[in-house]
Amino acid sequence: MKWTKISLGPLQTNGYLLEHEGEAVMIDPGGEEDRVNALLQERSLKLKAIWLTHAHFDHIGAVQPLREKWDCPVYLHEEEKDWLVNPTLNGSGLFAGIEKIAAEPAEELIKAEGILGDGGFACEVYHTPGHSPGSVSFYFNEENVIFSGDVLFMAGVGRTDLPGGDQETLMRTIQMRMLTLPANTSVANGHGPLTTIGDEKRSNPFLMDLN
């Protein structure tokens, strides 16, 4: 499996295009569906699914047009099953200057941790709440990467002041789910540059009490 980072939408949210043998999975299409479609066409890929780490507005802006064009299902944790359809819950109705975003409900609800996907896209899905109640992360052991949404950043952690956020839960998630991964695991997060678990253990000021 290969993957590509694409910064999309009004907040330049990191989305990730995974590809394997002519098929693709899109993680967190935050907007600019034309750019995503152009990349799919350029690489002769068929989009088979959209996986969401969580349903905040900056991660879902292109969900509806992409699913309609490619007739593909959307995967989302069940704790945020109402967020796609509700601009207040997904946050797009809370900020001035942000276009309200609403999409149809997810076709597939993630209800438990375990294996998600198949073939070259098979990974472990972890429930990683704190930034939002239904946040999940997608861990590919062989590729040595975790797609973590807004849980852990380079020198930072996810914000917890939005509806459903909880600082204590977030820090417990990071300690139990992120810091137990191998040090050289790439953290493909939702904003900013990529990092590694080892680098964040060594230098992230928010994690000093967790090491």
Coordinates of all heavy atoms in Angstrom, one line a residue, residues 146-206:
I146 N 0.5 5.4 11.6 CA -0.9 5.5 12.2 C -1.5 6.8 11.7 O -0.9 7.9 11.8 CB -0.8 5.5 13.7 CG1 -2.3 5.4 14.2 CG2 0.0 6.6 14.3 CD1 -2.4 4.9 15.7
F147 N -2.7 6.7 11.1 CA -3.4 7.9 10.7 C -4.3 8.3 11.8 O -5.3 7.6 12.1 CB -4.2 7.6 9.4 CG -3.3 7.2 8.2 CD1 -3.0 5.8 8.0 CD2 -2.8 8.1 7.4 CE1 -2.2 5.5 6.9 CE2 -2.0 7.8 6.4 CZ -1.7 6.4 6.1
S148 N -3.9 9.4 12.5 CA -4.4 9.6 13.9 C -5.4 10.8 14.0 O -5.8 11.1 15.1 CB -3.2 9.9 14.8 OG -2.5 11.0 14.4
G149 N -5.8 11.4 12.9 CA -6.7 12.6 13.0 C -6.1 13.6 13.9 O -4.9 13.9 13.8
D150 N -6.9 14.2 14.8 CA -6.4 15.3 15.6 C -6.1 14.9 17.0 O -6.4 15.6 18.0 CB -7.5 16.4 15.6 CG -7.6 17.1 14.2 OD1 -6.8 16.8 13.3 OD2 -8.5 18.0 14.1
V151 N -5.5 13.8 17.2 CA -5.1 13.3 18.5 C -3.7 13.8 18.9 O -3.6 14.4 20.0 CB -5.1 11.7 18.5 CG1 -4.6 11.2 19.9 CG2 -6.5 11.2 18.3
L152 N -2.8 13.6 18.1 CA -1.4 13.9 18.4 C -0.7 14.6 17.2 O -0.8 14.2 16.1 CB -0.6 12.7 18.7 CG 0.9 12.8 19.1 CD1 1.1 13.6 20.4 CD2 1.5 11.4 19.2
F153 N -0.1 15.8 17.5 CA 0.6 16.6 16.5 C 2.1 16.7 16.8 O 2.5 16.3 17.9 CB 0.0 18.0 16.4 CG -1.4 18.0 16.1 CD1 -2.3 18.6 17.0 CD2 -1.9 17.5 14.9 CE1 -3.7 18.6 16.8 CE2 -3.3 17.5 14.7 CZ -4.1 18.1 15.6
M154 N 2.9 17.2 15.9 CA 4.3 17.6 16.2 C 4.3 18.7 17.3 O 3.7 19.7 17.0 CB 5.0 18.0 14.9 CG 6.4 18.4 15.2 SD 7.3 19.1 13.7 CE 7.6 17.5 12.8
A155 N 4.8 18.4 18.4 CA 4.9 19.3 19.5 C 3.5 19.8 20.0 O 3.4 20.8 20.6 CB 5.8 20.5 19.2
G156 N 2.5 19.0 19.8 CA 1.2 19.4 20.3 C 0.2 18.2 20.4 O 0.6 17.1 20.1
V157 N -0.9 18.5 20.9 CA -2.0 17.5 21.0 C -3.3 18.2 20.6 O -3.4 19.4 20.4 CB -2.2 17.0 22.5 CG1 -0.9 16.3 23.0 CG2 -2.6 18.1 23.4
G158 N -4.3 17.4 20.4 CA -5.6 17.9 19.9 C -6.3 18.8 20.9 O -6.1 18.7 22.1
R159 N -7.0 19.7 20.3 CA -7.8 20.7 21.2 C -9.0 19.9 21.8 O -9.5 18.9 21.2 CB -8.3 21.9 20.4 CG -9.2 21.6 19.3 CD -9.5 22.8 18.4 NE -10.2 23.8 19.2 CZ -10.6 25.0 18.6 NH1 -10.3 25.3 17.4 NH2 -11.2 25.9 19.4
T160 N -9.4 20.4 22.9 CA -10.5 19.7 23.6 C -11.6 20.6 24.0 O -12.5 20.3 24.8 CB -10.0 18.9 24.9 OG1 -9.4 19.9 25.7 CG2 -9.1 17.8 24.5
D161 N -11.7 21.8 23.4 CA -12.6 22.8 23.8 C -13.9 22.8 22.9 O -14.7 23.7 23.0 CB -12.0 24.2 23.8 CG -11.4 24.6 22.5 OD1 -11.1 23.7 21.7 OD2 -11.2 25.8 22.3
L162 N -13.9 21.9 21.9 CA -15.1 21.8 21.1 C -16.1 20.8 21.7 O -15.7 20.0 22.6 CB -14.7 21.3 19.7 CG -13.8 22.3 18.9 CD1 -13.3 21.6 17.6 CD2 -14.5 23.6 18.7
P163 N -17.3 20.8 21.3 CA -18.3 19.8 21.9 C -17.8 18.4 21.9 O -17.4 17.9 20.8 CB -19.5 20.0 21.0 CG -19.4 21.4 20.5 CD -18.0 21.7 20.3
G164 N -17.9 17.7 23.0 CA -17.5 16.4 23.1 C -16.0 16.1 23.5 O -15.6 15.0 23.7
G165 N -15.3 17.2 23.5 CA -13.8 17.1 23.8 C -13.6 16.9 25.3 O -14.4 17.4 26.1
D166 N -12.5 16.2 25.7 CA -12.2 16.0 27.1 C -10.7 15.9 27.2 O -10.2 14.9 26.7 CB -13.0 14.8 27.6 CG -12.7 14.7 29.1 OD1 -13.4 15.3 29.9 OD2 -11.8 13.9 29.5
Q167 N -10.1 16.7 27.9 CA -8.6 16.7 28.1 C -8.1 15.5 28.7 O -7.1 14.9 28.3 CB -8.1 18.0 28.8 CG -6.6 18.1 28.9 CD -6.0 18.5 27.6 OE1 -6.6 19.0 26.7 NE2 -4.6 18.3 27.5
E168 N -8.7 15.1 29.8 CA -8.2 13.9 30.5 C -8.3 12.6 29.7 O -7.4 11.8 29.6 CB -9.1 13.7 31.8 CG -8.6 12.5 32.7 CD -9.4 12.4 34.0 OE1 -10.1 13.4 34.4 OE2 -9.3 11.3 34.6
T169 N -9.4 12.5 28.9 CA -9.6 11.4 28.0 C -8.6 11.4 26.9 O -8.0 10.4 26.6 CB -11.0 11.4 27.4 OG1 -12.0 11.3 28.4 CG2 -11.2 10.3 26.4
L170 N -8.3 12.6 26.4 CA -7.3 12.7 25.3 C -5.9 12.2 25.8 O -5.2 11.5 25.1 CB -7.2 14.1 24.8 CG -6.2 14.4 23.7 CD1 -6.5 13.7 22.4 CD2 -6.0 15.9 23.5
M171 N -5.5 12.7 26.9 CA -4.2 12.3 27.4 C -4.1 10.8 27.7 O -3.1 10.2 27.5 CB -3.8 13.2 28.7 CG -3.8 14.7 28.4 SD -2.9 15.2 26.9 CE -1.2 14.8 27.4
R172 N -5.2 10.3 28.2 CA -5.2 8.8 28.5 C -5.1 8.1 27.1 O -4.4 7.1 27.0 CB -6.5 8.4 29.2 CG -6.5 7.0 29.6 CD -7.6 6.7 30.6 NE -8.9 7.1 30.2 CZ -9.6 8.1 30.7 NH1 -9.1 8.8 31.6 NH2 -10.8 8.3 30.2
T173 N -5.8 8.6 26.1 CA -5.7 8.0 24.8 C -4.3 8.0 24.3 O -3.8 7.0 23.8 CB -6.7 8.7 23.8 OG1 -8.0 8.3 24.1 CG2 -6.4 8.4 22.4
I174 N -3.7 9.1 24.4 CA -2.3 9.2 23.9 C -1.4 8.3 24.6 O -0.5 7.6 24.0 CB -1.8 10.7 24.0 CG1 -2.6 11.6 23.0 CG2 -0.3 10.8 23.7 CD1 -2.3 13.1 23.2
Q175 N -1.5 8.2 25.9 CA -0.7 7.3 26.7 C -0.9 5.9 26.4 O 0.1 5.1 26.2 CB -0.9 7.6 28.2 CG 0.0 6.8 29.1 CD -0.1 7.2 30.5 OE1 -1.2 7.5 31.0 NE2 1.0 7.1 31.3
M176 N -2.1 5.5 26.2 CA -2.5 4.1 26.0 C -2.4 3.6 24.6 O -2.0 2.4 24.3 CB -3.9 3.8 26.6 CG -4.0 4.1 28.1 SD -3.0 3.1 29.1 CE -3.7 1.5 28.8
R177 N -2.7 4.5 23.7 CA -2.8 4.1 22.3 C -1.6 4.5 21.4 O -1.2 3.8 20.5 CB -4.1 4.5 21.6 CG -5.3 3.6 21.9 CD -5.0 2.2 21.5 NE -6.2 1.4 21.6 CZ -6.1 0.1 21.6 NH1 -4.9 -0.5 21.6 NH2 -7.2 -0.7 21.7
M178 N -1.1 5.7 21.7 CA 0.0 6.3 20.8 C 1.4 5.9 21.3 O 2.2 5.4 20.6 CB -0.2 7.8 20.7 CG -1.5 8.2 20.1 SD -1.6 7.8 18.3 CE -3.3 7.9 18.0
L179 N 1.6 6.2 22.6 CA 3.0 6.1 23.1 C 3.4 4.6 23.3 O 4.6 4.3 23.6 CB 3.1 6.8 24.4 CG 2.8 8.3 24.4 CD1 3.1 9.0 25.7 CD2 3.5 9.0 23.2
T180 N 2.5 3.7 23.1 CA 2.8 2.2 23.2 C 3.2 1.7 21.8 O 3.7 0.5 21.8 CB 1.6 1.4 23.7 OG1 0.5 1.7 22.9 CG2 1.3 1.8 25.2
L181 N 3.1 2.5 20.8 CA 3.5 2.1 19.5 C 5.1 2.1 19.3 O 5.7 2.9 20.1 CB 2.9 2.9 18.4 CG 1.4 2.8 18.3 CD1 0.8 3.9 17.3 CD2 0.9 1.5 17.9
P182 N 5.7 1.4 18.4 CA 7.1 1.5 18.2 C 7.5 3.0 17.9 O 6.8 3.8 17.3 CB 7.3 0.7 16.9 CG 6.2 -0.3 17.0 CD 5.0 0.4 17.5
A183 N 8.7 3.3 18.4 CA 9.2 4.7 18.4 C 9.3 5.2 17.0 O 9.1 6.4 16.7 CB 10.6 4.8 19.1
N184 N 9.6 4.4 16.0 CA 9.7 4.8 14.6 C 8.4 4.9 13.8 O 8.4 5.1 12.6 CB 10.8 4.0 13.9 CG 10.3 2.5 13.7 OD1 9.4 2.1 14.4 ND2 11.0 1.8 12.9
T185 N 7.3 4.7 14.5 CA 6.0 4.8 13.8 C 5.7 6.2 13.4 O 5.8 7.1 14.2 CB 4.9 4.3 14.8 OG1 5.1 3.0 15.2 CG2 3.5 4.4 14.1
S186 N 5.4 6.4 12.1 CA 5.0 7.7 11.6 C 3.6 8.1 12.1 O 2.7 7.2 12.0 CB 5.1 7.7 10.1 OG 6.4 7.5 9.6
V187 N 3.5 9.3 12.5 CA 2.2 9.8 12.9 C 1.7 10.7 11.8 O 2.1 11.8 11.7 CB 2.2 10.5 14.3 CG1 0.9 11.1 14.7 CG2 2.8 9.7 15.4
A188 N 0.7 10.2 11.0 CA 0.1 11.0 9.9 C -1.1 11.6 10.5 O -2.2 11.0 10.5 CB -0.2 10.0 8.8
N189 N -1.0 12.8 10.9 CA -2.0 13.5 11.7 C -2.8 14.5 10.8 O -2.6 14.6 9.6 CB -1.4 14.2 12.9 CG -0.2 15.1 12.5 OD1 -0.2 15.8 11.5 ND2 0.9 14.9 13.2
G190 N -3.8 15.2 11.5 CA -4.7 16.0 10.8 C -4.3 17.4 10.4 O -4.9 18.0 9.5
H191 N -3.2 17.9 11.0 CA -2.8 19.2 10.7 C -1.3 19.3 10.9 O -0.7 18.8 11.8 CB -3.4 20.2 11.6 CG -4.9 20.3 11.5 ND1 -5.6 21.0 10.5 CD2 -5.9 19.6 12.2 CE1 -6.9 20.8 10.7 NE2 -7.1 20.0 11.7
G192 N -0.6 20.0 10.0 CA 0.8 20.3 10.1 C 1.7 19.1 9.6 O 1.2 18.2 9.0
P193 N 3.0 19.2 10.0 CA 3.9 18.1 9.5 C 3.7 16.8 10.2 O 3.2 16.7 11.3 CB 5.3 18.7 9.8 CG 5.0 19.6 11.0 CD 3.6 20.2 10.8
L194 N 4.2 15.8 9.5 CA 4.2 14.4 10.1 C 5.2 14.4 11.2 O 6.2 15.2 11.2 CB 4.5 13.4 9.0 CG 3.7 13.4 7.7 CD1 4.2 12.2 6.8 CD2 2.2 13.2 8.0
T195 N 5.1 13.4 12.0 CA 6.1 13.2 13.1 C 6.2 11.7 13.4 O 5.7 10.9 12.6 CB 5.7 14.0 14.4 OG1 6.7 13.9 15.3 CG2 4.4 13.5 14.9
T196 N 6.9 11.4 14.4 CA 7.0 10.0 14.8 C 6.7 9.9 16.3 O 6.8 10.9 17.1 CB 8.4 9.4 14.6 OG1 9.4 10.0 15.4 CG2 8.9 9.6 13.1
I197 N 6.4 8.7 16.7 CA 6.1 8.5 18.2 C 7.4 8.8 19.0 O 7.3 9.5 20.0 CB 5.7 7.0 18.4 CG1 4.3 6.8 17.7 CG2 5.6 6.7 19.9 CD1 3.2 7.6 18.3
G198 N 8.5 8.4 18.5 CA 9.8 8.6 19.3 C 10.1 10.1 19.4 O 10.5 10.5 20.5
D199 N 9.9 10.9 18.4 CA 10.2 12.3 18.4 C 9.2 13.0 19.4 O 9.6 13.9 20.2 CB 10.0 12.9 17.1 CG 11.1 12.6 16.1 OD1 12.2 12.2 16.6 OD2 11.0 12.8 14.9
E200 N 8.0 12.5 19.4 CA 7.0 13.2 20.4 C 7.3 12.8 21.8 O 7.1 13.6 22.7 CB 5.6 12.9 20.0 CG 5.2 13.4 18.6 CD 5.7 14.9 18.4 OE1 5.3 15.7 19.2 OE2 6.5 15.1 17.5
K201 N 7.7 11.5 22.0 CA 8.1 11.1 23.4 C 9.3 12.0 23.9 O 9.3 12.3 25.1 CB 8.5 9.7 23.4 CG 7.4 8.7 23.4 CD 7.9 7.3 23.6 CE 6.9 6.2 23.8 NZ 7.4 4.9 23.9
R202 N 10.2 12.3 23.0 CA 11.4 13.0 23.4 C 11.1 14.5 23.6 O 11.7 15.1 24.5 CB 12.5 12.8 22.4 CG 13.2 11.5 22.4 CD 14.4 11.5 21.5 NE 14.0 11.6 20.1 CZ 13.7 10.5 19.3 NH1 13.7 9.3 19.8 NH2 13.4 10.7 18.0
S203 N 10.3 15.1 22.8 CA 10.3 16.6 22.7 C 8.9 17.3 22.9 O 8.8 18.5 23.0 CB 10.9 17.1 21.5 OG 10.2 16.6 20.3
N204 N 7.8 16.5 22.9 CA 6.5 17.1 22.9 C 6.2 17.6 24.3 O 6.2 16.8 25.3 CB 5.4 16.1 22.5 CG 4.1 16.8 22.3 OD1 3.6 17.6 23.1 ND2 3.4 16.4 21.2
P205 N 6.1 18.9 24.5 CA 6.0 19.5 25.9 C 4.7 19.0 26.6 O 4.6 19.0 27.8 CB 6.0 21.0 25.7 CG 5.5 21.2 24.3 CD 6.1 20.0 23.5
F206 N 3.7 18.6 25.9 CA 2.4 18.2 26.5 C 2.5 16.7 27.0 O 1.6 16.3 27.8 CB 1.3 18.2 25.4 CG 1.0 19.6 25.0 CD1 1.6 20.2 23.9 CD2 0.0 20.4 25.7 CE1 1.3 21.5 23.5 CE2 -0.3 21.7 25.3 CZ 0.4 22.2 24.2

